């Protein structure tokens, strides 16, 4: 069965410094991997997705993630944090079949705080 | 950009009452989902719906839950007799085949 582990429940960075949110996954098949962001009282917004193409995936707002099969990791990074990046981030895996997307398995989330 | 719309954004109900959470998926999407997030916990899959029937459901989705697509545009989640532990954020999502779009969620508070 597939699962996702987000290694940090809370990460705090200063504005302008790099962001690293860590995620490890477990999957029986070739997974699709996603990062979603949730701002307070808002819905889930897709940041980026990996679907077996390029292992370095670029997303919105300057975020990117690298799929490393040997390490079963899909860490999210951003070179320079902005105050507006403060939110909760979810690493998500789905196992796709027959060309259709499977159900999503969410990690517990990492709350990112950005200090001025 | 097309959106998934959920109403209401926040609902408070008394224990034992029935609630209906409403969603309007994106019009050309074929697959519909409900997920929920209990405060402080993971987002969990509840049910998926395709071709006017449930295609998959989790163990959470017991007999007190039901889903409907009554008029070809709305997609509803009914909880028959709410319990305190049903308090959560409920997210609706839809997809044409690949690529979920989530709604903003309905925060359900059972008192």
């Amino acid at each position: 069965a597939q699962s996702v582990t987000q290694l940090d429940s809370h990460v705090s960075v200063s504005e302008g410094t790099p962001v690293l949110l860590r995620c490890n996954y477990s999957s029986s098949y070739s997974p699709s991997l996603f990062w979603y962001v949730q701002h307070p009282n808002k819905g889930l917004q897709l940041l980026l997705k990996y679907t077996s193409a390029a292992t370095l995936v670029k997303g919105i707002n300057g975020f990117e993630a690298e799929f490393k099969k040997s390490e079963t990791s899909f860490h999210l990074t951003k070179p320079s944090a902005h105050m507006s990046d403060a939110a909760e981030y979810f690493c998500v895996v789905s196992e796709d079949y027959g060309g259709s997307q499977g159900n999503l398995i969410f990690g517990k989330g990492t709350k990112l705080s950005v200090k001025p | 950009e097309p959106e998934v719309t959920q109403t209401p954004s926040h609902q408070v109900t008394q224990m034992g009452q029935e609630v209906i959470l409403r969603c309007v998926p994106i019009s050309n999407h074929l697959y519909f989902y409900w997920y929920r997030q209990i405060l402080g916990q993971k987002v969990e899959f509840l049910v998926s719906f395709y071709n006017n029937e449930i295609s998959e459901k989790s163990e959470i989705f017991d007999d007190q839950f039901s889903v409907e697509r009554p008029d070809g545009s709305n997609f509803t989640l009914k909880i028959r007799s709410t319990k305190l532990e049903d308090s959560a954020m409920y997210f609706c999502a839809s997809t044409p085949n690949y690529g979920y779009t989530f709604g903003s969620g309905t925060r359900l508070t059972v008192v």
Side-chain angles (χ1 to χ4, degrees):
Chain A
Q2 64 273 44
S3 66
V4 174
T5 303
Q6 290 184 245
L7 297 159
D8 307 293
S9 58
H10 192 185
V11 169
S12 182
V13 300
S14 297
E15 192 174 21
T17 63
V19 175
L20 170 64
L21 305 184
R22 298 181 294 164
C23 172
N24 287 100
Y25 71 91
S26 170
S27 177
S28 307
Y29 307 98
S30 294
S32 293
L33 291 158
F34 309 82
W35 277 97
Y36 281 85
V37 61
Q38 184 182 25
H39 290 275
N41 301 313
K42 301 285 186 185
L44 294 160
Q45 182 184 20
L46 180 66
L47 271 182
L48 50 79
K49 61 184 177 185
Y50 165 78
T51 55
S52 76
T55 56
L56 183 62
V57 182
K58 293 189 186 299
I60 62 172
N61 300 335
F63 284 95
E64 61 183 39
E66 187 171 7
F67 174 71
K68 291 187 177 179
K69 188 174 182 179
S70 59
E71 298 175 12
T72 61
S73 69
F74 190 58
H75 302 332
L76 181 71
T77 60
K78 181 173 179 177
S80 176
H82 191 272
M83 295 298 292
S84 60
D85 294 328
E88 185 136 27
Y89 292 79
F90 295 95
C91 184
V92 180
V93 65
S94 74
E95 285 187 351
D96 308 327
Y97 42 89
S100 297
Q101 186 169 5
N103 300 328
L104 301 183
I105 308 296
F106 281 75
K108 283 190 172 180
T110 298
K111 186 172 181 180
L112 176 66
S113 300
V114 182
K115 297 174 289 191
Chain B
E1 190 171 327
E3 289 183 342
V4 173
T5 305
Q6 289 187 244
T7 55
S9 56
H10 191 185
Q11 179 148 3
V12 181
T13 188
Q14 290 205 321
M15 193 168 52
Q17 295 295 303
E18 175 183 285
V19 294
I20 298 176
L21 309 184
R22 300 180 194 281
C23 169
V24 179
I26 294 173
S27 60
N28 63 344
H29 284 189
L30 303 175
Y31 299 82
F32 313 109
Y33 305 84
W34 284 100
Y35 285 76
R36 80 170 183 192
Q37 182 184 27
I38 295 172
L39 188 65
Q41 297 187 24
K42 290 186 184 187
V43 178
E44 303 169 291
F45 166 73
L46 288 178
V47 65
S48 58
F49 192 87
Y50 171 71
N51 203 24
N52 286 320
E53 61 183 24
I54 291 174
S55 48
E56 191 173 347
K57 59 184 180 180
S58 72
E59 58 190 27
I60 302 167
F61 194 88
D62 60 23
D63 291 344
Q64 68 161 340
F65 291 94
S66 61
V67 288
E68 246 189 350
R69 192 161 156 77
D71 56 11
S73 61
N74 290 286
F75 178 52
T76 61
L77 174 69
K78 183 193 287 188
I79 309 175
R80 256 179 277 283
S81 176
T82 49
K83 305 184 201 124
L84 293 176
E85 54 264 36
D86 294 327
S87 295
M89 181 76 100
Y90 288 81
F91 292 104
C92 174
S94 69
T95 175
N97 184 36
Y98 197 89
Y100 280 63
T101 301
F102 280 90
S104 298
T106 293
R107 181 168 295 286
L108 176 66
T109 303
V110 183
V111 297

